Amino acid sequence: MSGVALTVAAVEAGYGDVQVLWGVDLDVGPGEIVCVIGSNGAGKTTLLRTISGVVRARAGRIAFGETDLTAATPADVLGAGIAHVPEGRRLFAAMSVEDNLKMGAFLRRDQAGIREDLERVYQYFPKLHERRRQDAGTLSGGEQQMCAVGRGIMSAPRLLMIDELSLGLAPQIVEQLSEILLRIRGDGLSILVVEQDVNAALELADRGFVVDRGRITLHGDTETLQTDPQVREAYLGMA
Amino acid sequence: MIYLQILANGLALGGLYACIAVGFSLVWGVLNVINLLHGSMIVLGSYIALFAYTTFGIHPFLTVPIAGGIVFALTYALQRGIINRVIAAPVLMTLTLTFGLDLIFNNAMLTAFKADYRKLILENPLGSWSFSGVTLPVDRIAAMALAMLLTLMLFRLLKDSRIGRAIVAVRMDRDAAALMGVDVMKINAITFGIGGFMAGAAGCLLSIIFPISPLNSTVYLGKSFVVCVLGGLGSVPGAIVGGLALGIIESFGAFFLGPEHAVTLAFSLLIVFLIVRPTGLLGKKGYE
């Protein structure tokens, strides 16, 4: 449905003198769910921040379909159809849930479309509708993540990038969120999810990339990764 | 009845204090910049009102949008061109920068306008209202009303406009705001410009009440600090509450302790608040 693929080719990026990414290649096809797994500090968050234009790529190329996003600003990336749900949700704590969702549509001018998408988000997450007048800071962790994902959807993206979906959440909540993400994908979005919880990520995704110290060390479909001895030992704690 | 008179004086003064402080508070809250230029921008607004009146005969109330506009343009350009370059640096860096800029501006004004205190004397003052023993000079009340109107307009702007929502979002989380597509650097400059507009407008309104001199800039800056600490930082209602509180306290203080102690009282209060309730009367995390 979306028909646009994200391509990340040989990307290098970092902060000041510290280089974090060393030639990362990654792609997300239309309608795919792709996960990036790896330990803390491997460069997963930096990768998403580089794609969304918060961190500037020093080398390599990032493209979404025909649109080159290598030197794009966050607003350009969002306009091209990529939304970034940041690590730790980063909601606007003293704004209501509904105002948070509307902030997601900040760049859009199509009022009718915004209302439609707001309804859509409330259908995915009825809890958010219940709490729409409440300050986002008063939500539980799971509800905050729902609000953050909903805020991402409000920009009408074709690709949704989620940093640490499961962080600090109970397993049942993660499962609920995963189910809704599958529905969202069914409605035509591709999803790129970054996870420390390797099990949850491999359950959800079609394909996975393993990052270690700023490099992709392994990639493949999730069944292959689940049985890969290296992955089992390093990330799943199984021999 | 004398107490009612003092209360009325305090409220009239307090409305102006709110207007003086609200721009300072907004810039501090949103940009995390302590703008030491603020006092000089207020004085600049007063001079614009003075020259508009003496040269063209334009009433200071009508000069408000002009002075506000001029100071907006100046502060917007300063933020865009200079302050944005160090906006991510620790607060001491931006503090030092605005301190330096203030030295330049204040001394430029001293050179241009001299340090003499000048007075804008309206040829046709509106007289005063008197009822049940309380006398209210109409010009002062009108200035206070205009100050409150401007402050409320700013409140509506932040609440209801697209730009206002962006400003509030940047105030709460600048990284998340950037991910929503907000151009943070532009919002910084607009916010700084709005702070300038409010300063210039307040300067106009003050010109019919207080003598005008570049030396007054530190007094206005000090009052802005006190209002922010009293009311709570970065919110419009906080500035209104803080401004009115300061106005009332000063006018009662002047009555009981003598006018020479009004400022001392204000700053003693500042210290007490910093110790007892550093978030201010309306302070809460986030905004409004």
Side-chain angles (χ1 to χ4, degrees):
Chain A
M1 206 175 131
S2 64
V4 180
L6 171 74
T7 320
V8 174
V11 160
E12 308 202 352
Y15 308 91
D17 292 335
V18 183
Q19 183 161 349
V20 180
L21 301 179
W22 301 81
V24 170
D25 297 303
L26 175 143
D27 65 290
V28 182
E32 254 194 320
I33 299 184
V34 170
C35 67
V36 176
I37 56 180
S39 52
N40 212 354
K44 305 186 299 293
T45 294
T46 306
L47 175 59
L48 291 199
R49 286 166 66 86
T50 309
I51 296 170
S52 62
V54 177
V55 174
R56 188 59 59 93
R58 292 172 185 178
R61 183 167 178 274
I62 301 167
F64 193 51
E66 299 296 306
T67 318
D68 185 277
L69 295 177
T70 312
T73 65
D76 295 336
V77 175
L78 202 63
I82 301 179
H84 180 169
V85 179
E87 183 177 5
R89 328 340 167 187
R90 305 298 286 270
L91 296 176
F92 303 109
M95 276 190 210
S96 70
V97 169
E98 188 150 308
D99 284 345
N100 265 277
L101 295 174
K102 284 180 177 163
M103 269 316 292
F106 181 73
L107 288 181
R108 295 172 66 184
R109 303 282 189 174
D110 55 325
Q111 295 305 324
I114 293 174
R115 269 197 302 279
E116 238 168 68
D117 279 335
L118 194 61
E119 285 313 308
R120 193 155 70 98
V121 169
Y122 286 147
Q123 267 170 27
Y124 291 138
F125 306 108
K127 262 276 160 57
L128 293 184
H129 186 258
E130 253 170 60
R131 304 194 184 279
R132 64 189 184 281
R133 310 234 174 277
Q134 222 169 292
D135 279 2
T138 63
L139 298 179
S140 73
E143 290 161 355
Q144 288 194 15
Q145 187 64 285
M146 291 173 193
C147 190
V149 170
R151 191 177 63 176
I153 293 173
M154 286 304 293
S155 67
R158 287 179 287 185
L159 170 66
L160 189 62
M161 303 196 297
I162 304 172
D163 197 349
E164 299 291 1
L165 178 74
S166 70
L167 194 74
L169 302 181
Q172 313 89 278
I173 306 281
V174 177
E175 214 161 285
Q176 270 180 31
L177 280 166
S178 298
E179 273 166 32
I180 294 163
L181 288 181
L182 290 172
R183 270 176 66 195
I184 292 170
R185 182 257 292 271
D187 291 342
L189 267 74
S190 347
I191 296 171
L192 175 61
V193 61
V194 152
E195 265 297 339
Q196 272 188 73
D197 182 345
V198 174
N199 258 323
L202 293 178
E203 292 275 305
L204 173 68
D206 309 313
R207 284 195 301 136
F209 289 77
V210 180
V211 196
D212 187 27
R213 276 164 284 177
R215 293 180 171 83
I216 302 284
T217 52
L218 201 65
H219 67 98
D221 44 47
T222 40
E223 288 92 55
T224 318
L225 290 179
Q226 262 164 337
T227 53
D228 186 277
Q230 215 185 310
V231 173
R232 288 174 71 89
E233 193 182 351
Y235 301 109
L236 297 175
M238 298 179 247
Chain B
M1 226 16 97
I2 183 76
Y3 295 123
L4 217 58
Q5 177 71 53
I6 297 167
L7 184 69
N9 292 349
L11 286 172
L13 198 58
L16 290 165
Y17 286 165
C19 191
I20 287 179
V22 72
F24 180 75
S25 174
L26 186 74
V27 167
W28 194 346
V30 175
L31 276 69
N32 197 26
V33 169
I34 299 170
N35 178 21
L36 297 184
L37 267 168
H38 196 71
S40 291
M41 294 299 126
I42 294 170
V43 172
L44 182 60
S46 292
Y47 275 110
I48 293 169
L50 178 69
F51 291 127
Y53 190 67
T54 51
T55 315
F56 304 108
I58 305 171
H59 193 281
F61 290 167
L62 299 176
T63 316
V64 164
I66 304 166
I70 292 171
V71 182
F72 176 93
L74 181 66
T75 44
Y76 180 93
L78 275 178
Q79 173 69 26
R80 257 270 104 129
I82 300 173
I83 301 170
N84 257 344
R85 291 170 196 275
V86 294
I87 195 74
V91 72
L92 189 61
M93 185 84 91
T94 48
L95 182 87
T96 313
L97 178 59
T98 60
F99 178 69
L101 289 170
D102 187 56
L103 284 180
I104 295 170
F105 269 94
N106 206 264
N107 283 290
M109 282 198 292
L110 279 172
T111 310
F113 308 138
K114 307 288 176 271
D116 306 332
Y117 281 90
R118 299 198 215 181
K119 189 90 185 74
L120 192 159
I121 297 158
L122 292 173
E123 278 174 35
N124 305 303
L126 295 171
S128 57
W129 289 328
S130 207
F131 46 89
S132 46
V134 179
T135 308
L136 300 171
V138 180
D139 287 309
R140 255 180 198 242
I141 298 301
M144 185 263 193
L146 273 174
M148 292 312 279
L149 180 71
L150 283 169
T151 310
L152 289 174
M153 278 167 62
L154 177 61
F155 182 67
R156 293 320 315 178
L157 176 88
L158 290 177
K159 269 250 189 270
D160 300 334
S161 72
R162 197 177 126 82
I163 219 107
R165 277 186 292 125
I167 291 172
V168 173
V170 170
R171 157 141 172 65
M172 290 187 198
D173 190 330
R174 60 182 48 239
D175 287 352
L179 288 178
M180 303 299 115
V182 174
D183 183 342
V184 175
M185 286 303 187
K186 193 172 132 199
I187 291 299
N188 284 346
I190 290 173
T191 307
F192 205 74
I194 291 174
F197 182 97
M198 295 305 289
C204 266
L205 298 172
L206 291 167
S207 68
I208 61 162
I209 300 170
F210 294 116
I212 302 162
S213 162
L215 302 174
N216 274 345
S217 77
T218 48
V219 177
Y220 294 142
L221 184 65
K223 304 239 188 227
S224 303
F225 260 107
V226 177
V227 171
C228 280
V229 172
L230 281 182
L233 196 59
S235 88
V236 176
I240 294 174
V241 169
L244 294 177
L246 179 63
I248 292 167
I249 290 160
E250 274 196 7
S251 73
F252 276 99
F255 177 71
F256 287 114
L257 307 172
E260 68 273 24
H261 295 302
V263 177
T264 317
L265 187 71
F267 281 93
S268 310
L269 207 68
L270 172 89
I271 293 167
V272 171
F273 258 73
L274 283 175
I275 295 167
V276 179
R277 195 175 160 82
T279 51
L281 290 169
L282 290 193
K284 80 169 192 187
K285 279 204 178 307
Y287 77 125
E288 7 254 26

